[in-house]
Amino acid sequence: MAEKGEEALSENAAGTRTVPRRTASGFAKLLAFIERANRVARERRALMRLDDNALKDFGASRADAWHEGERPWWDLPRNGARSRGGLVE
């Protein structure tokens, strides 16, 4: 029997143990977070490769690009948040 706060594994008709839906959903959220973090990290690296004229086109400086590019991969922007110059916050 599962202890309080724990969910027991259940078995389907074939006798295969299954993970509770809540756990699978948590794994899906984790996977989605990692995919998004990797995408943002690629975008930040691309930002750092832009030349000064390209950065100037949207009001950013070399320092802005480096500041953004040095953020850790897990440090994601808030939903739709933008800071000065269009760079994510």
Side-chain angles (χ1 to χ4, degrees):
M1 179 170 249
E3 300 221 4
K4 186 176 181 179
E6 293 181 9
E7 293 185 27
L9 293 177
S10 59
E11 291 189 16
N12 62 17
T16 304
R17 288 185 174 197
T18 58
V19 177
R21 171 168 273 165
R22 187 175 71 181
T23 303
S25 175
F27 179 74
K29 288 179 182 180
L30 176 63
L31 185 58
F33 172 82
I34 292 170
E35 289 173 345
R36 181 170 179 243
N38 284 331
R39 185 176 61 250
V40 169
R42 279 191 306 274
E43 292 171 358
R44 288 176 176 158
R45 286 190 302 270
L47 179 66
M48 291 174 62
R49 288 190 301 268
L50 292 176
D51 64 22
D52 290 337
N53 288 329
L55 292 169
K56 186 178 177 184
D57 284 346
F58 60 92
S61 68
R62 174 68 42 209
D64 292 332
W66 279 103
H67 176 74
E68 185 66 26
E70 290 178 341
R71 291 172 64 176
W73 68 268
W74 65 84
D75 186 9
L76 299 179
R78 290 183 288 285
N79 293 334
R82 297 278 178 195
S83 67
R84 62 186 168 79
L87 297 177
V88 290
E89 191 173 298

